[in-house]
Amino acid sequence: MISTLPPAVIFIAGAVFVPIFRGRGKLLYLLALPVIAGMDLVYLPTGQSSATTFLDYSLIFCRVDRLSLAFGYVFVLIAFIGTIYSLHVKDNLQHMAALCYAGGALGVTFSGDLFSLYLFWEIMALASVVLLLARRTEDSRKAAFRYFMWHFFGGLCLLAGIILFVITRGTTEFNYIGLTDSASLMIFIGFCLNAAVFPFHAWLPDAYPRATVTGAVFMSALTTKSAVYILARTFPGNDILLWAGAFMTCFPIFYAVIVNDMRRVLAYSLINQVGFMVCGIGIGSQLAINGVVAHAFCHIIYKALLFMSTGAVLHMTGKIRGTDLGGLYKTMPFTAVCCMVGAASISAFPLFSGFVSKSLTVAAVAESHHVIVWFMLLFASAGVFHHAGIKVPFFVFFGHDSGIRSKEPPINMRIAMGMAAFICIFLGVYPAPLYQILPYPVDFHPYTAFHVVGMLQLLMFGALAFTMLILSGFYPAEQRAVNLDTDWFIRLPGRAFVRFCHKPLQAIAEVATGWAKSTVAAFKSAPSRSVEIEKRMDWIFHTLLVGLPERVSQVVQPLKTEKSELSWNVTYILIPFILLLLAILFVFK
Amino acid sequence: MPYLLLQTVLVPLAAAMVVMLTRSRKGFLFGGITIASLFYTMVLLVIAGFRLYTEGHIFEQYTLGPDVSLNLLADGLSLPVGLIINLICIALACYSLHYVEHRIDIIYPEADAHTRSLYFKRFFFLYLFFPAGFMGVAFSTNLIAVYLFLELLTIIPLYFIMAQFGYSDYITRYKVALMCLFWGVAGATLFLIGIVLGYTQIGSFEIADLPKLAGRPQTFWVALLILTGLATKLAIIPLHVWMPWVHAEHPTCIAGLLAIYANIAAYVAVRVLILPLTADMQVFSLPLMILAMVTMVYGGFLTLAQTDAKRFCACSTISQISYSVFGIAAMNQVGVQGGMFYFLSHILGKAILFSTAGILVYTVETRDMRQMGGLWQKMPLTAILWFAAALILSALPPTSGFVGKWFFFTGAFQKVQSNPFGLVLVVAAVLSTLITLIYTFLAGIRIFFGPLKSNPGDHPINDPPLTMSIPLFVLALIAFALGLFPQPILNLLGTAVASL
């Protein structure tokens, strides 16, 4: 029976009560929820708990082991930081959606069976759609719709896979699945879509730049990383993931380089970084999985930091395009520093958290002797340094002076960014706490001469290349261009398909609307028709029936009944007697 | 305890005599006597309930002559009915204390203090015939006694209270009172003809002897007559035309009791027809279900069209009574259990709804719901009561209505499972319960939310005095408690219908 409380429940149930609180109380309540969830997390017993049965299948809401705990810690942590970052938001809907989103991610992390997994998966999808819609612009509404379509498709694949899985294997519990039959293939596709594995990645750079300032922080952390977790649990060691992950690290770099919207750059770099994790899952060794978990942990923090700082710029200036920004370090120094800390972390500078985590994955690849993949990852590391490590802070805060003199963001945003920056540096300098929560025992020392020198070489030469490109004028600040991505194959044909279906579907819709309208009209007129019927029945009983004696007397009145009219009297008596005789003869036998 | 059930019938009558003979200037004293006597009978009924769990049933026989005896039976079917009705009588007696004062102010404004106390005395004298009549109907085992108590209910309280304290002007009050009298007597007369016809067959008026009628050709006519008579009381289409008038124009303090008066005919149908003559009644099952369903839907739509607060509740009663009839018409264990449980739930919810409508009419001084709006700020307690009643009548969990509805729809589905037409019928009935939800909540939202409309009178709008609202809260609590813990009553009902 339900004995332990899944932390997802705290968030989701807590979301319901958000509108009740106001002012300071609401702030305290919002901050309390991640804290309570964190405390719950710490006291969760290992193994499976919080299980019920549903129609012969078991639902397990708390499957706790080192893998899920590690992700649980970081999700609660980012929920806390993200909540601090969004304290200034007055829109209750955003808070509720963010809480549900965090709850869904935690639910996915701790679910032990496919039904509850699917439930929380869909909760995450819905909540993130709401976060997208909360921006309330035409652009974000369309993006939300496309996002919803993508994730609905992924959810359907997942559902189909789950149903096939349950039918073929007879149980909903899962641990390692492995790509064997069509059921596992459908589940794999569903998971890969959320992890933005090529070719199911196009939703990410489409939607994330259009989310709200605070929503983007949550979105960057939760959907992809919970998918990473679930892939690490169900499909480790899968070769497809190895190559898909390696490819994922490389191709977004090209897009990120030419894109103008800074948050879209970060979205592409998100795909790049998740590629590292997916690649690590593809290797599947203990070192690789450790690397995946460590990288996920650190990535959530520093990607959130980057989204937070660029979001702060968007919040204060209203602009996010690289061509419109620049020179903000003068008036927003704190934000600039935080952005640079995030950039350094994502580029895996030594003494920052990215260094201690990414090197685990790269070392695992090297250990398993995948040479080509190792080179791809190396290229990707250089690439991420370029587009996220240099481009984002440089063009937003430095670069050419745009003349904008905006002030620092509100205190809550600064506190959140400060916390994330602190964690990045802390873990970079002292990675022991991180290594302690990794699922497998860690025998890795990041600060060896080989690793440090190798990384510094990569970074310094990358910086050299960038400087030379800038100085030679060969690399303009930005290029106005249209990005062709795989969603081209879906959006253009999609539009054509819609035009093709327009006429017949329109006709059917008109018929159905006609039926609906007439049904509604029938229902709407039913009350007044009933009143008419009631009046009629009332008339029948209370006027007609009551008036019958009157009518009878009117009929009887002119009859001749005086003594002198004997023949008439006899006739009146004979008629009923004859009728009675007939009745006795023919009716009552 | 000797004479347990006899006391439940006689104590209200004795209290009525006491009220008639007492002289007092204070009208509330008569109310106090009424309430005290009803509390006493409630204690008796609770004791009877406990005895039922140990003894199975309580049967008391009082011989009044060589061939005539008054027998009273409390078993799993009649005791819950009697107990809940008694509770509602107490609640409405408390509610009436202030309400009658208000009616007297309006109808007889020129009366001096002595005459006013006379009117109070008259009201509570008449009021006490209600519980006496209801207990008599519930516990009697003799058909003539049932007829006697049914007529007692029609003639004494219904007619006179309407005539003296009803709405509308002098002439219309008496007209409506006459209408109520005639319809009630017409139904009871059909009932009487039926039972006399049965007497000619088996030579007895005892319900226990009714199974001897089984299998005879005349039993169909006996059953038809009795059923038509009861259908008049149950306001089944097309014999429902009296209900909107009577319930709307009666003073609201007893409108809840009128709902009981109409719905108790369902109990009589179970006791007199369905339990003894199950096989013969099967031919009536489907037609009765169809009629009940038509009444449900028709009553629901009629209620949606109403703008007068009291007529609204009256038309709602038409629809709600047919829910219990629908369950009873299924004539299987689960259906009858559900139908009877829904009857109890309905009278609880309807007492609250009618009384809340009465509070609104009393406070805002208009019966037109379109002129009421935004009253939540001024009358929050009343609003809570209205929505509690709406929950109970719409049969949403965790109220008793939900339990009753679940059971009787299960019974109905069991009945029609082989018949495709029947399946359509039951599904339509389930959908029609949506109409109840719509009209209760829509009316509640229109009355209590939205902009505050200026009231025509200059009476300040407040929550009613506590003696009016606390009894209704108690009723609501009972309905919710029954919804969460229905097992005691369901078990009692189950033992009674075990033979089906």
Side-chain angles (χ1 to χ4, degrees):
Chain A
M1 252 343 278
I2 307 255
S3 47
T4 51
L5 187 64
V9 170
I10 298 177
F11 276 106
I12 296 179
V16 173
F17 295 110
V18 163
I20 298 178
F21 296 88
R22 265 179 250 275
R24 288 263 169 87
K26 183 164 86 169
L27 302 185
L28 279 171
Y29 177 71
L30 286 173
L31 287 173
L33 281 177
V35 171
I36 297 172
M39 293 198 302
D40 183 43
L41 198 61
V42 167
Y43 287 111
L44 279 179
T46 16
Q48 293 183 349
S49 53
S50 199
T52 57
T53 42
F54 172 71
L55 296 180
D56 298 336
Y57 299 111
S58 51
L59 293 180
I60 303 167
F61 289 104
C62 270
R63 186 244 302 272
V64 176
D65 57 12
R66 292 186 66 92
L67 181 62
S68 47
L69 257 186
F71 278 91
Y73 287 136
V74 71
F75 287 149
V76 170
L77 181 61
I78 196 61
F80 184 62
I81 295 179
T83 309
I84 298 181
Y85 188 72
S86 57
L87 280 180
H88 65 282
V89 172
K90 297 276 180 276
D91 187 1
N92 268 341
L93 188 66
Q94 284 194 44
H95 287 297
M96 291 164 77
L99 286 171
C100 281
Y101 192 25
L106 280 168
V108 165
T109 315
F110 288 111
S111 67
D113 71 287
L114 289 170
F115 282 161
S116 54
L117 174 75
Y118 183 71
L119 170 72
F120 288 115
W121 200 261
E122 293 302 326
I123 290 178
M124 275 211 299
L126 281 173
S128 45
V129 169
V130 173
L131 275 177
L132 263 178
L133 286 172
R135 192 127 186 242
R136 293 189 171 100
T137 59
E138 184 62 21
D139 202 28
S140 65
R141 189 188 63 78
K142 291 186 184 160
F145 181 68
R146 288 190 296 265
Y147 180 92
F148 177 67
M149 286 284 111
W150 274 105
H151 281 264
F152 192 54
F153 165 70
L156 282 179
C157 281
L158 182 61
L159 184 63
I162 290 177
I163 293 174
L164 283 172
F165 184 92
V166 170
I167 290 176
T168 52
R169 290 169 221 218
T171 170
T172 54
E173 295 184 30
F174 72 101
N175 205 341
Y176 171 77
I177 297 184
L179 201 57
T180 48
D181 54 356
S182 54
S184 53
L185 178 67
M186 300 297 284
I187 295 181
F188 183 71
I189 293 177
F191 290 159
C192 283
L193 189 136
N194 262 38
V197 175
F198 182 88
F200 304 116
H201 67 284
W203 54 272
L204 209 155
D206 182 34
Y208 279 26
R210 298 187 170 106
T212 53
V213 164
T214 56
V217 173
F218 284 94
M219 289 176 84
S220 70
L222 297 172
T223 305
T224 38
K225 303 312 169 299
S226 52
V228 162
Y229 156 76
I230 205 81
L231 279 172
R233 184 174 285 286
T234 51
F235 295 101
N238 189 322
D239 267 349
I240 298 180
L241 287 177
L242 174 68
W243 290 100
F247 184 64
M248 265 168 85
T249 54
C250 296
F251 82 88
I253 298 173
F254 303 102
Y255 291 112
V257 164
I258 61 173
V259 172
N260 201 357
D261 182 331
M262 284 297 137
R263 296 204 300 172
R264 181 167 278 128
V265 173
L266 291 176
Y268 277 116
S269 89
L270 183 63
I271 303 180
N272 166 287
Q273 294 290 295
V274 172
F276 277 94
M277 297 179 222
V278 170
C279 193
I281 297 174
I283 296 180
S285 64
Q286 288 199 346
L287 183 63
I289 299 292
N290 273 351
V292 168
V293 177
H295 194 190
F297 196 104
C298 298
H299 172 83
I300 287 180
I301 305 295
Y302 60 63
K303 189 42 87 21
L305 179 57
L306 283 169
F307 266 105
M308 282 196 276
S309 46
T310 46
V313 168
L314 176 61
H315 181 74
M316 297 309 290
T317 64
K319 299 180 167 35
I320 194 62
R321 297 161 67 96
T323 41
D324 300 332
L325 295 169
L328 290 177
Y329 75 95
K330 295 181 184 153
T331 49
M332 297 173 83
F334 182 76
T335 316
V337 165
C338 287
C339 190
M340 290 199 295
V341 168
S345 301
I346 199 172
S347 322
F349 251 98
L351 295 182
F352 289 91
S353 57
F355 178 67
V356 305
S357 52
K358 195 180 295 185
S359 41
L360 276 166
T361 314
V362 180
V365 171
E367 248 182 44
S368 49
H369 306 297
H370 287 111
V371 178
I372 300 181
V373 174
W374 188 83
F375 267 111
M376 288 168 85
L377 293 188
L378 211 62
F379 169 72
S381 306
V384 76
F385 174 55
H386 176 211
H387 72 257
I390 300 184
K391 170 166 161 161
V392 172
F394 182 78
F395 286 112
V396 173
F397 293 102
F398 301 94
H400 79 286
D401 193 341
S402 60
I404 303 175
R405 295 286 178 262
S406 53
K407 288 215 276 271
E408 288 279 13
I411 186 71
N412 64 307
M413 293 170 114
R414 279 182 273 160
I415 291 177
M417 290 195 286
M419 283 174 72
F422 173 74
I423 296 175
C424 285
I425 300 177
F426 177 75
L427 286 179
V429 170
Y430 182 59
L434 174 63
Y435 288 171
Q436 260 168 22
I437 62 170
L438 293 181
Y440 300 106
V442 182
D443 191 22
F444 184 78
H445 302 286
Y447 288 102
T448 58
F450 171 67
H451 287 132
V452 172
V453 169
M455 205 65 223
L456 281 176
Q457 271 186 321
L458 189 118
L459 294 171
M460 290 308 141
F461 274 106
L464 179 65
F466 179 75
T467 318
M468 290 184 60
L469 284 172
I470 288 280
L471 287 177
S472 68
F474 191 70
Y475 180 47
E478 296 309 321
Q479 248 179 345
R480 306 227 168 214
V482 169
N483 234 346
L484 279 185
D485 203 341
T486 48
D487 59 354
W488 185 86
F489 293 104
I490 296 177
R491 287 170 74 169
L492 241 54
R495 256 182 259 165
F497 179 68
V498 166
R499 277 194 296 260
F500 173 74
C501 294
H502 192 67
K503 284 231 172 57
L505 283 182
Q506 184 108 7
I508 298 176
E510 263 172 32
V511 169
T513 322
W515 286 348
K517 277 194 184 157
S518 50
T519 320
V520 166
F523 270 100
K524 272 199 156 166
S525 65
S528 39
R529 272 186 295 138
S530 316
V531 171
E532 295 301 317
I533 297 174
E534 182 70 17
K535 285 203 185 124
R536 189 118 193 105
M537 280 201 267
D538 202 82
W539 176 84
I540 291 175
F541 279 103
H542 294 147
T543 316
L544 188 66
L545 218 56
V546 169
L548 272 182
E550 265 302 310
R551 306 257 187 114
V552 170
S553 80
Q554 275 171 8
V555 168
V556 169
Q557 195 72 299
L559 292 178
K560 298 180 198 277
T561 50
E562 295 82 28
K563 268 198 298 211
S564 50
E565 307 282 359
L566 184 62
S567 49
W568 283 106
N569 294 349
V570 168
T571 320
Y572 296 147
I573 294 173
L574 271 179
I575 291 174
F577 264 107
I578 293 176
L579 287 174
L580 187 61
L581 185 65
L582 290 170
I584 291 174
L585 285 178
F586 296 112
V587 176
F588 295 110
K589 290 188 193 103
Chain B
M1 184 150 190
Y3 309 117
L4 195 66
L5 299 175
L6 186 66
Q7 280 184 64
T8 57
V9 178
L10 288 184
V11 161
L13 290 174
M17 289 301 135
V18 169
V19 163
M20 196 43 129
L21 296 171
T22 311
R23 275 186 196 208
S24 168
R25 284 286 162 127
K26 296 167 56 127
F28 281 29
L29 177 67
F30 306 115
I33 298 175
T34 312
I35 295 171
S37 63
L38 288 174
F39 262 110
Y40 177 66
T41 46
M42 183 175 81
V43 170
L44 290 177
L45 284 168
V46 170
I47 295 175
F50 283 119
R51 268 178 61 181
L52 262 191
Y53 267 102
T54 48
E55 286 175 33
H57 67 264
I58 305 175
F59 183 72
E60 296 173 12
Q61 193 163 12
Y62 304 102
T63 4
L64 301 173
D67 285 323
V68 181
S69 66
L70 176 68
N71 305 335
L72 298 169
L73 172 71
D75 65 356
L77 189 62
S78 52
L79 188 81
V81 171
L83 185 60
I84 302 277
I85 291 179
N86 203 322
L87 285 166
I88 298 179
C89 288
I90 299 177
L92 288 178
C94 294
Y95 176 88
S96 313
L97 288 171
H98 273 102
Y99 198 85
V100 171
E101 190 174 28
H102 163 76
R103 290 303 307 152
I104 296 174
D105 283 337
I106 292 192
I107 303 178
Y108 310 107
E110 69 285 340
D112 60 345
H114 176 68
T115 323
R116 288 164 64 84
S117 71
L118 270 182
Y119 280 118
F120 260 100
K121 185 196 302 227
R122 218 175 274 180
F123 178 82
F124 282 106
F125 171 73
L126 293 167
Y127 185 92
L128 279 161
F129 281 91
F130 268 121
F134 287 137
M135 295 303 128
V137 171
F139 295 126
S140 299
T141 59
N142 188 316
L143 286 168
I144 291 290
V146 172
Y147 171 74
L148 168 73
F149 284 111
L150 277 177
E151 288 283 56
L152 187 79
L153 280 172
T154 314
I155 297 174
I156 299 185
L158 254 67
Y159 174 76
F160 284 108
I161 293 186
M162 175 69 220
Q164 305 261 297
F165 301 97
Y167 282 80
S168 321
D169 59 54
Y170 182 70
I171 299 286
T172 320
R173 273 209 312 275
Y174 274 90
K175 270 187 163 173
V176 175
L178 269 177
M179 182 202 299
C180 172
L181 182 69
F182 283 150
W183 276 97
V185 169
T189 309
L190 283 168
F191 182 78
L192 182 67
I193 299 175
I195 60 184
V196 167
L197 195 58
Y199 177 79
T200 60
Q201 300 296 311
I202 54 171
S204 160
F205 283 114
E206 283 296 316
I207 296 182
D209 293 331
L210 278 178
K212 295 187 201 154
L213 272 176
R216 299 178 198 226
Q218 295 85 0
T219 311
F220 173 78
W221 296 105
V222 171
L224 183 65
L225 282 165
I226 296 181
L227 206 54
T228 317
L230 292 174
T232 318
K233 293 233 182 285
L234 287 169
I236 300 195
I237 286 198
L239 302 167
H240 68 286
V241 284
W242 58 280
M243 187 167 271
W245 288 108
V246 167
H247 280 219
E249 306 305 327
H250 262 82
T252 328
C253 37
I254 59 163
L257 297 177
L258 296 180
I260 304 179
Y261 163 75
N263 216 339
I264 206 168
Y267 160 80
V268 176
V270 174
R271 174 67 87 200
V272 170
L273 289 177
I274 296 180
L275 284 179
L277 301 168
T278 320
D280 293 282
M281 289 299 290
Q282 294 304 326
V283 69
F284 291 111
S285 173
L286 199 60
L288 196 56
M289 281 173 83
I290 295 177
L291 274 177
M293 200 214 79
V294 172
T295 317
M296 264 193 240
V297 176
Y298 175 75
F301 281 126
L302 194 59
T303 320
L304 271 171
Q306 298 304 319
T307 53
D308 177 354
K310 288 169 57 78
R311 234 184 132 97
F312 172 87
C313 300
C315 293
S316 159
T317 311
I318 301 177
S319 165
Q320 295 275 315
I321 291 180
S322 52
Y323 289 12
S324 30
V325 174
F326 191 76
I328 289 169
M331 293 186 200
N332 49 25
Q333 256 191 23
V334 185
V336 174
Q337 247 184 320
M340 289 305 297
F341 198 88
Y342 195 83
F343 157 42
L344 297 175
S345 165
H346 167 235
I347 51 181
L348 283 168
K350 199 32 79 52
I352 304 173
L353 192 73
F354 251 124
S355 308
T356 318
I359 292 173
L360 286 169
V361 171
Y362 165 97
T363 319
V364 185
E365 289 179 5
T366 172
R367 278 168 67 162
D368 191 343
M369 291 196 290
R370 288 171 298 193
Q371 291 180 8
M372 302 182 201
L375 291 176
W376 166 263
Q377 310 144 26
K378 307 269 185 156
M379 308 169 83
L381 287 178
T382 316
I384 295 176
L385 280 171
W386 178 284
F387 285 109
L391 281 172
I392 298 170
L393 292 176
S394 314
L396 295 170
T399 59
S400 49
F402 176 70
V403 177
K405 193 170 283 190
W406 182 271
F407 270 80
F408 78 68
F409 273 125
T410 311
F413 270 118
Q414 277 177 1
K415 183 80 185 189
V416 299
Q417 53 194 359
S418 45
N419 188 344
F421 168 70
L423 273 174
V424 169
L425 181 70
V426 177
V427 170
V430 174
L431 291 176
S432 78
T433 64
L434 193 64
I435 303 179
T436 313
L437 187 79
I438 296 176
Y439 66 65
T440 43
F441 278 96
L442 206 60
I445 290 173
R446 288 209 182 121
I447 294 175
F448 291 106
F449 296 102
L452 185 65
K453 300 204 174 134
S454 57
N455 55 324
D458 45 25
H459 196 322
I461 302 184
N462 293 330
D463 262 325
L466 283 177
T467 47
M468 286 177 97
S469 47
I470 288 196
L472 301 177
F473 273 109
V474 171
L475 287 182
L477 275 172
I478 294 173
F480 278 88
L482 278 181
L484 291 168
F485 306 107
Q487 277 315 111
I489 303 235
L490 279 177
N491 287 343
L492 279 175
L493 291 172
T495 53
V497 300
S499 57
L500 285 174

